[in-house]
Amino acid sequence: MNRQLLLLFTFYVLVSSIQAIDFTYCDDEENSQQIKIIPDPVVTGKPAIFNISAVTDRSVSGGKVMIEVRYFGIHVHSETHDICEEVSCPIEAGNFVLSHAETLPGYAPPGVYTLKTKMIGKNGYQLTCFSFKFKIGFGALVSES
């Protein structure tokens, strides 16, 4: 009985921690549909997964994903990835999901961060550009023993 309650509680915690994140577009093109962060809030030193549901009106065989992170409006990190490392290429016209895993350094201070992402096709066509806020919890700085 206790084991079933523990399993049910664990399932509830996992499901309740997965929620859609509000985001804004960089321009008028609305090519992203939903963003989920697991876990939310993010825990430093542990992998965080950013799942981005998006749509494209053309086939994409390559390109890049550019990520910029700001903390209280101050640029703290940027990186660029090959889009085919983040999603299986070629991407056919229509819906697709980009999944990016990132482990934030243990010294990252708790608070609210803004992440801006641009996805550019190899021909220079902007697939989407959006930004969203994510949180690093205050308990994230406490190491587990």
Side-chain angles (χ1 to χ4, degrees):
M1 178 70 173
N2 287 338
R3 192 172 200 184
Q4 290 174 333
L5 287 174
L6 180 61
L7 183 61
L8 182 61
F9 176 74
T10 303
F11 176 76
Y12 171 75
V13 168
L14 288 174
V15 170
S16 66
S17 69
I18 301 171
Q19 56 184 325
I21 303 298
D22 291 332
F23 61 94
T24 57
Y25 296 101
C26 302
D27 50 30
D28 292 333
E29 294 185 32
E30 297 183 8
N31 296 338
S32 295
Q33 299 170 331
Q34 188 177 48
I35 299 168
K36 291 184 180 178
I37 303 172
I38 306 167
D40 187 15
V42 172
V43 178
T44 58
K46 305 261 186 196
I49 300 170
F50 298 84
N51 289 320
I52 302 159
S53 299
V55 64
T56 181
D57 60 354
R58 60 180 76 179
S59 180
V60 179
S61 59
K64 58 187 172 182
V65 177
M66 299 180 310
I67 299 169
E68 177 185 5
V69 180
R70 292 183 175 268
Y71 183 63
F72 290 109
I74 299 168
H75 173 84
V76 294
H77 181 75
S78 62
E79 56 189 61
T80 301
H81 298 275
D82 184 308
I83 198 167
C84 296
E85 293 174 359
E86 307 292 318
V87 65
S88 296
C89 285
I91 303 168
E92 298 301 324
N95 296 329
F96 68 97
V97 176
L98 180 139
S99 185
H100 179 74
E102 188 77 33
T103 300
L104 298 171
Y107 56 81
V112 177
Y113 291 74
T114 301
L115 188 143
K116 180 179 178 181
T117 300
K118 284 186 183 182
M119 289 187 248
I120 309 291
K122 73 177 181 179
N123 61 358
Y125 174 74
Q126 183 171 292
L127 301 170
T128 192
C129 178
F130 54 88
S131 66
F132 60 91
K133 296 185 183 309
F134 70 95
K135 186 186 300 184
I136 295 181
F138 284 97
L141 292 178
V142 178
S143 65
E144 295 178 15
S145 300

